[in-house]
């Protein structure tokens, strides 16, 4: 896992998806990420507090997927840890690892805002 | 020719947007679906996209269940189904293929791989369309050939044939209408001896008589 919150190669791959005359794909995808992932993280935290492991697994899985698409490796890994704990029904493990997802998401959004 | 439609079903908007961008760039028209229920409605409706990318994990109806339900339907044009799955779920892939998926792509998808696999799907869809068209033509041809089978009432003297509307038709007309066969008129050796030769002889005789003229 690189120290950078966003993997440059993944961002380059998104840049290459541009089609002339269409909106910039990278900008759109990053905007969508910043709009859509924070509310999902709130749902993950709520599911963790409520001990709803099925919901926690599903939401952590979706955050992991979004992170993978923009090359946010550390966030991807942090959500994978939560997803795996939720699948095992490990409520303590889920609750212990949700803060790392918060930290990594904040780093990713910070990096996106600096771009 | 309009761009081929591909349904992309994923409840995760970032993945859906990226996959959509990859397919749009490759010239496909993407039909998005936010969950399994919506995908099911679109794939069973009128003008359903012929290719579908279905995420494995979706609320409501998940990818494998969607595949199973779609394969349980009787349709002459079944969709080409590709499952989207995470890299760490290789065992799931076998279950997905057994359920009736044509292929799978691991997430996050790489542009080249995803497009190559969807292109394979597009070729299969084209082949299937060509075959369906071919079968339709053959069925039409078969239907007209069937009208030539069975018992045909034929006149014992002039050989006219009675059609299903109770009209008597010349044998050539009847067969032409029911099979597209065309006739070229000729004569067989027997009829040459019995009909043609006497007529020619009679003609010859008349010409000789005319040449000799009335002066003799």
């Amino acid at each position: 896992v690189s120290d950078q919150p966003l993997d440059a190669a993944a961002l380059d791959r998104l840049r290459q998806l541009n089609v002339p005359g269409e909106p910039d794909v990278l900008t759109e995808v990053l905007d969508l990420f910043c709009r859509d992932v924070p509310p999902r993280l709130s749902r993950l935290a709520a599911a963790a507090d409520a001990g709803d492991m099925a919901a926690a697994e599903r939401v952590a899985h979706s955050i992991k997927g979004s992170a993978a698409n923009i090359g946010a490796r550390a966030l991807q890994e942090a959500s994978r840890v939560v997803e795996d704990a939720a699948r095992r029904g490990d409520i303590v493990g889920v609750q212990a690892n949700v803060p790392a997802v918060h930290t990594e998401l904040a780093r990713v959004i910070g990096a996106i805002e600096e771009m | 020719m309009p761009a081929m439609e591909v349904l992309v079903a994923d409840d995760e908007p970032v993945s859906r947007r990226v996959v959509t961008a990859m397919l749009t760039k490759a010239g496909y028209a993407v039909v998005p679906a936010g969950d399994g229920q919506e995908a099911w409605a679109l794939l069973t409706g009128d003008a359903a996209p012929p290719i579908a990318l279905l995420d494995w994990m979706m609320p409501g109806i998940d990818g494998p269940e969607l595949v199973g339900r779609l394969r349980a339907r009787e349709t002459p044009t079944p969709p080409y189904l590709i499952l989207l799955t995470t890299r760490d779920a290789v065992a799931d892939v076998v279950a997905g293929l057994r359920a009736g998926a044509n292929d799978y792509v691991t997430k996050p998808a790489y542009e080249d791989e995803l497009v190559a696999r969807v292109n394979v799907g597009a070729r299969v869809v084209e082949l299937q369309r060509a075959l369906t068209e071919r079968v339709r033509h053959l069925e039409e041809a078969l239907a007209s050939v069937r009208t030539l089978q069975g018992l045909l009432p034929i006149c014992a003297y002039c050989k006219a044939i009675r059609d299903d509307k109770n009209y008597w038709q010349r044998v050539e007309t009847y067969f032409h209408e029911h099979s597209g066969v065309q006739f070229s008129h000729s004569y067989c050796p027997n009829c040459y001896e019995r009909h043609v030769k006497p007529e020619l002889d009679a003609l010859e005789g008349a010409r000789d008589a005319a040449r000799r003229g009335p002066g003799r």
Side-chain angles (χ1 to χ4, degrees):
Chain A
V1 174
S2 127
D3 203 40
Q4 289 299 312
L6 291 171
D7 175 42
L11 298 181
D12 273 340
R13 283 197 293 272
L14 291 174
R15 275 189 197 99
Q16 282 159 18
L17 296 178
N18 279 344
V19 176
E22 293 292 317
D24 184 68
V25 174
L26 178 63
T27 309
E28 267 200 48
V29 168
L30 294 180
D31 282 354
L32 186 58
F33 182 93
C34 292
R35 257 201 330 272
D36 200 81
V37 179
R40 274 191 261 160
L41 180 49
S42 304
R43 287 210 301 280
L44 174 61
D49 288 344
D52 182 349
M53 292 298 101
E57 182 189 348
R58 205 166 52 238
V59 181
H61 177 84
S62 90
I63 296 174
K64 183 182 79 175
S66 298
N69 270 285
I70 63 166
R73 305 252 178 266
L75 176 61
Q76 185 184 338
E77 177 60 18
S79 11
R80 188 193 62 78
V81 170
V82 174
E83 184 191 358
D84 289 351
R87 189 178 301 124
R88 290 194 308 268
D90 175 6
I91 299 180
V92 175
V94 169
Q95 288 170 346
N97 286 289
V98 168
V101 180
H102 270 288
T103 309
E104 293 305 334
L105 178 61
R107 287 183 70 214
V108 171
I109 291 178
I112 292 171
E113 280 166 354
E114 272 172 33
M115 284 170 72
Chain B
M1 205 166 142
M4 192 177 280
E5 286 192 336
V6 180
L7 180 124
V8 176
D10 196 336
D11 60 312
E12 200 273 280
V14 177
S15 293
R16 198 171 65 230
R17 182 68 192 86
V18 172
V19 168
T20 298
M22 290 174 179
L23 294 176
T24 306
K25 186 183 162 195
Y28 292 98
V30 173
V31 179
D35 58 38
Q37 205 74 47
E38 197 183 346
W40 167 257
L42 287 164
L43 289 169
T44 54
D46 292 337
I51 303 176
L53 288 166
L54 309 172
D55 188 37
W56 185 275
M57 232 196 193
M58 285 186 290
I61 315 174
D62 64 17
E65 191 187 340
L66 200 50
V67 168
R69 287 202 200 177
L70 287 165
R71 289 300 181 239
R73 299 174 79 233
E74 286 286 336
T75 162
T77 52
Y80 189 90
L81 303 174
I82 302 174
L83 279 169
L84 291 166
T85 171
T86 39
R87 259 167 239 294
D88 47 9
V90 178
D92 292 346
V93 164
V94 178
L97 294 175
R98 280 199 182 129
N102 296 90
D103 199 0
Y104 71 96
V105 175
T106 52
K107 294 203 323 179
Y110 287 100
E111 185 189 0
D112 292 348
E113 185 193 353
L114 181 90
V115 169
R117 287 177 187 270
V118 171
N119 286 346
V120 170
R123 282 203 295 277
V124 170
V125 166
E126 294 290 356
L127 263 171
Q128 193 173 271
R129 280 180 181 168
L131 272 174
T132 308
E133 186 68 0
R134 192 84 184 261
V135 166
R136 200 178 57 77
H137 280 157
L138 285 172
E139 277 172 352
E140 278 176 15
L142 195 62
S144 76
V145 166
R146 278 218 187 89
T147 64
L148 288 175
Q149 289 180 342
L151 214 53
L152 281 181
I154 186 164
C155 170
Y157 295 96
C158 72
K159 309 297 179 204
I161 287 176
R162 196 180 69 212
D163 67 13
D164 50 6
K165 292 182 190 70
N166 226 11
Y167 285 116
W168 288 93
Q169 291 183 316
R170 284 161 59 99
V171 69
E172 301 96 303
T173 314
Y174 184 89
F175 277 90
H176 179 66
E177 281 180 4
H178 288 80
S179 70
V181 163
Q182 301 221 359
F183 290 84
S184 106
H185 287 89
S186 182
Y187 39 76
C188 68
N190 283 344
C191 290
Y192 177 81
E193 289 298 331
R194 276 180 56 195
H195 302 285
V196 182
K197 197 163 178 297
E199 276 180 30
L200 284 176
D201 289 348
L203 210 64
E204 195 95 336
R207 208 167 50 204
D208 287 351
R211 202 179 291 141
R212 281 193 296 274
R216 277 197 65 183

